[in-house]
Amino acid sequence: MTTLQVFLDALEKQHIMYSEQPYDVERQVYQINILTEDALLDTHTLYLLTSHRLSKSLRQMLEDSAEPVMVIDLAGHRSLPFAAIFLTDSPDPAKVHKILNKTLSFETSIEADITSMYSLMLQGRGLDALTDYAEQILGYPVSILDTSYAIVAVSSGMRKLSFGLDDSSDGLFLSVEEIQSLRRLQIEEKIYTLTEAFFIDTEDHPDTNWIFSAIRINHVMSGYVAVCLPSSSSATARELRLTTALSKICSVEMQKHDFFSEQTGLQYETFLTDLLDGRFGNLQRINSRLKLLNRTLGSYYCLALFGRRSPSGSDFFNKQQLSRLRNLFHGSMSIVYQDILVLFIHQERPIQLTDEFTTPIVEFASRNSLRVSFSQPFADLVKTHVFFKQAYKTLKLCEQAPGELFVGYSMNALPYVLFSNTDNTALEAGIHYHLYQLQDYDATYHTEFVDTLRVYLEQDRNMAKAASALHIHRSTFFYRIKKIEELLDISITDSHLLFLYELSFKMWNYLLHI
């Protein structure tokens, strides 16, 4: 029901202010009436006092009321023997009456629609029926998506739109172009941040405008509602209110069906947890457990670990997301372990971390705003916990890395994993002194020898590629290399020395970003 505060806010929006408000602003208001001599007083009616004179009997009734009757003084009494709201100016009573009744009518209509949506949910009609009804009362197509941009439910009208959705064997998703648009226009950030529905006129879609509202479960961002409007329409207060209400109803519906959970509830969950904990001392014990689970594993393995990088900071994972992830690789297992999502992959042939193998996992991570790290492929199940620690450390290094690094490969991160287990002072002392000499020379003579040597090593010791990467002529690059050889009394073909330089640059870069 509508509270007194709503009506006071409606007056303020029309620049009608009050100087005193003696009632509980959360009191429910069912109707608006003019206070007359023959009024039957009701504590849920907001009365307008327009008469300059009150009978003794009415005055006494107001004074004796067990709960103060809500009265707005429009007659300018300024002093009454009972509680009243006094307005600072002397507005036209007809205007005030119109504003309050219009507000009541608006709120009553909104509440009727919201009640109907809740009723659909309680009847167990599901999200599909809810979106269709929402389209009916809003007059615009409606869709519900989870945080992986998978389509949870769409209204009939939304299905007819010719853009924005990708249909695959893995389900119906928002297209990559639409996801990029949401991020580039910072719409995604607003969805995560705002608690109420908001309207956006997007430059990417000149023919449509949109209303978005986050779906939260236990204050955690779990999805969102999107309403599509024609470009000629802006969102009204009613549409924003209804969309906000719809997102809250979706939250209840999702919880009712245990839509989000930290546990997969799968039989192998305890087994995989024991495997990651390193509780199996030999392969025979592992095979015994697998036999009990009626499972057979391949001979080669790899772990993919996922951690949150979105503003939600959520420790909850969507069961549907876990299912989609497992479907990427036949027979794979996924669990939530130590607040991260772990995918255990196995197959009969050796695993190669090629683009063909990793792309589905990377796309899953990107779609769900997750970081992902890969362990090195391995063949010894007993050592699964070792490779988990390796991938876990890589995942943490992704968080520390400069920029937006969200994919990490443990074989590439190996030097940094070793560095992280070493005292930083020892690392700094281990950097080859030649780099410090070049750094001092650059600072004194404004040269760029450190950068030249670094790029040369990064470009696989290919001088032509290094010159191109530095945007300088080959002759200029050769001159710099010759000067470096003279300054350090070395040969640029000394492979052992170049390895030490490469290692030193890695240590240098690691120390700069921890």
Side-chain angles (χ1 to χ4, degrees), residues 278-289:
R279 294 178 183 169
F280 294 111
N282 56 63
L283 191 59
Q284 184 178 354
R285 286 189 61 197
I286 295 175
N287 288 332
S288 297
R289 285 283 293 277

Side-chain angles (χ1 to χ4, degrees), residues 480-509:
R480 290 185 184 179
I481 291 296
K482 187 66 176 175
K483 289 293 293 182
I484 290 171
E485 288 180 316
E486 292 174 359
L487 286 168
L488 302 178
D489 192 21
I490 64 163
S491 169
I492 203 66
T493 61
D494 187 333
S495 59
H496 174 68
L497 195 55
L498 293 181
F499 167 74
L500 294 179
Y501 290 165
E502 284 179 319
L503 188 60
S504 294
F505 274 118
K506 288 184 183 296
M507 288 189 287
W508 206 340
N509 186 62

Side-chain angles (χ1 to χ4, degrees), residues 9 13 17 44 72 86 99 155 158 163 210 241 244 254 260 266 299 317 333 343 379 442 447:
D9 290 344
K13 286 180 182 177
M17 308 299 177
H44 289 294
I72 296 180
F86 297 107
I99 293 170
S155 66
M158 189 67 79
F163 64 89
W210 293 85
R241 285 274 300 279
T244 299
M254 289 174 173
F260 291 85
L266 298 171
S299 302
F317 288 90
M333 309 179 200
L343 177 67
D442 284 345
T447 51

Side-chain angles (χ1 to χ4, degrees), residues 138-235:
L138 286 167
Y140 303 118
V142 178
S143 57
I144 301 171
L145 301 88
D146 64 20
T147 49
S148 69
Y149 298 104
I151 309 300
V152 178
V154 293
S155 66
S156 301
M158 189 67 79
R159 292 182 181 275
K160 297 175 183 177
L161 295 182
S162 58
F163 64 89
L165 303 181
D166 282 341
D167 197 356
S168 69
S169 59
D170 196 26
L172 194 61
F173 290 90
L174 195 66
S175 68
V176 173
E177 293 78 15
E178 294 299 319
I179 295 172
Q180 291 172 343
S181 174
L182 287 175
R183 292 174 178 171
R184 181 173 52 80
L185 298 174
Q186 298 183 316
I187 297 171
E188 182 184 56
E189 182 179 344
K190 291 185 71 174
I191 295 172
Y192 275 98
T193 304
L194 299 180
T195 57
E196 304 287 333
F198 65 92
F199 170 77
I200 191 88
D201 178 359
T202 66
E203 60 188 55
D204 288 2
H205 292 295
D207 297 329
T208 59
N209 293 329
W210 293 85
I211 299 173
F212 295 102
S213 184
I215 300 171
R216 288 183 169 81
I217 296 178
N218 298 326
H219 306 291
V220 172
M221 169 73 176
S222 304
Y224 67 91
V225 174
V227 181
C228 181
L229 286 67
S231 59
S232 58
S233 299
S234 295

